[in-house]
Amino acid sequence: TRVSIGRIYATDLEPGATLIQKSALADPNDLALVLLFPLGFAVAGALKAGLPTIVRLLCLIAIPCVTLGIVYTQSRGGAIGMLAVFAVTLLNLVKSRSITIALLSGAAVVLVFGMALGDRKSGGAAEYAQSGIDESAEGRLIAWEAATKMAIANPILGVGMNSFVARYFEYTPVWIGKNKAVHSTWFAMLAEGGPIGLALFVTMFFRTFRGVHRIGASMQSNPDLQQLEPVRIALLSALAGFAVASTFLTQHIQWPIYIEVALAAALIRYAQSRSQPAKTEHAGGTSKQPEDGVRPC
């Protein structure tokens, strides 16, 4: 079975009942997306110099552990997210683009066979039977259509946070007898937050990613900031993994993206404060040294 955390089968409690998910990580897809966060830090910490030896060793040990965790979820969105994490890390560490492309191609082949993605026909139970498109892909397309209809019917603030599943029946073009998740962070924000909520969410993500990318030059040229370069690469790769994987997974109200944004904001603020030159010029245009070695506040 696909690995998950905190998944409880109600059939163990009462006969004839269906699956009960008691954890935010009970869905394998959600678990895969959450694990992309520590994977980015593990890869960057192990491959980029600057961190203490013990920390790099722990990162090196964590890489196969987290990777296997994502592999056993058999999440296609998680597999694409892993490639995004590796791609951003390699682009920041390897100068040769041909080597990077070769490594990513090899990793893609390994993931396809290692995760048995070719054998998967559905994200769970067989829900659809459309020729040319497997059940999981067809289900996502129908859910995305329902999300678009929710946004059109509620163009200001959407249907409300965490309300897609409850309102799915009203907007789905195909009813399968049960409500289902949207399986896309961006479409979830569109449906539940409306165009305004989606615009704010995308702006937050874009400005965060751009800010982390822009401080790279100042961090590499500043000896005081070079030791934090692995953290910057880790945040870039984790954000890239989220952006790619969340296209097929729903994580708009889960904690990983907001922790990444908080860490990125702190790193950007710290890098900017350490990169600014000390101001010794006074209003009169002359520089005045402090007396008795006391630095003025």
Side-chain angles (χ1 to χ4, degrees):
T1 59
R2 300 172 63 189
V3 69
S4 63
I5 296 178
R7 171 173 286 201
I8 297 178
Y9 287 91
T11 50
D12 298 335
L13 306 177
E14 53 184 277
T18 57
L19 174 67
I20 297 178
Q21 297 183 354
K22 289 294 185 180
S23 166
L25 303 180
D27 186 274
N29 296 315
D30 293 338
L31 176 59
L33 184 54
V34 169
L35 289 177
L36 291 175
F37 181 26
L39 179 64
F41 278 83
V43 174
L47 300 182
K48 179 66 176 179
L51 296 177
T53 303
I54 183 63
V55 176
R56 297 189 67 183
L57 179 60
L58 290 175
C59 290
L60 189 62
I61 297 175
I63 290 176
C65 297
V66 179
T67 300
L68 283 176
I70 300 176
V71 166
Y72 284 125
T73 64
Q74 290 186 293
S75 170
R76 285 171 282 199
I80 299 175
M82 288 178 65
L83 293 177
V85 169
F86 293 140
V88 172
T89 305
L90 291 174
L91 287 174
N92 282 271
L93 298 179
V94 180
K95 295 182 179 180
S96 175
R97 294 294 182 264
S98 58
I99 295 178
T100 299
I101 295 175
L103 291 174
L104 291 176
S105 301
V109 174
V110 172
L111 288 176
V112 168
F113 288 98
M115 300 176 74
L117 298 181
D119 298 333
R120 281 199 54 211
K121 294 299 182 183
S122 173
E127 299 167 350
Y128 306 94
Q130 301 286 339
S131 59
I133 307 179
D134 67 41
E135 296 92 338
S136 183
E138 178 68 12
R140 280 175 168 82
L141 293 176
I142 292 176
W144 294 354
E145 182 178 350
T148 304
K149 290 182 177 179
M150 290 183 189
I152 294 175
N154 304 273
I156 305 300
L157 298 176
V159 297
M161 285 294 101
N162 205 26
S163 299
F164 177 88
V165 175
R167 304 291 298 275
Y168 178 77
F169 172 77
E170 304 174 36
Y171 297 95
T172 178
V174 178
W175 176 243
I176 61 173
K178 64 178 181 179
N179 293 325
K180 67 186 280 58
V182 63
H183 288 292
S184 173
T185 295
W186 315 110
F187 277 99
M189 281 301 306
L190 176 64
E192 298 182 358
I196 296 178
L198 177 62
L200 291 174
F201 188 83
V202 171
T203 300
M204 175 194 71
F205 180 87
F206 175 76
R207 287 180 61 87
T208 301
F209 189 88
R210 185 182 63 175
V212 176
H213 176 71
R214 283 185 171 182
I215 63 174
S218 61
M219 291 185 66
Q220 293 174 6
S221 60
N222 191 333
D224 296 335
L225 297 175
Q226 288 179 358
Q227 61 180 350
L228 291 177
E229 179 64 7
V231 179
R232 187 189 72 87
I233 297 177
L235 284 171
L236 272 181
S237 62
L239 288 169
F242 174 86
V244 174
S246 62
T247 302
F248 309 98
L249 308 175
T250 309
Q251 284 280 312
H252 61 301
I253 57 176
Q254 300 296 338
W255 54 266
I257 179 58
Y258 300 104
I259 291 183
E260 293 173 16
V261 170
L263 291 175
L267 180 65
I268 294 171
R269 180 64 175 171
Y270 180 76
Q272 291 175 344
S273 65
R274 297 301 296 268
S275 299
Q276 293 176 353
K279 296 181 179 180
T280 58
E281 293 291 327
H282 290 268
T286 60
S287 177
K288 184 178 179 181
Q289 298 295 330
E291 298 179 0
D292 301 328
V294 179
R295 183 179 299 275
C297 296

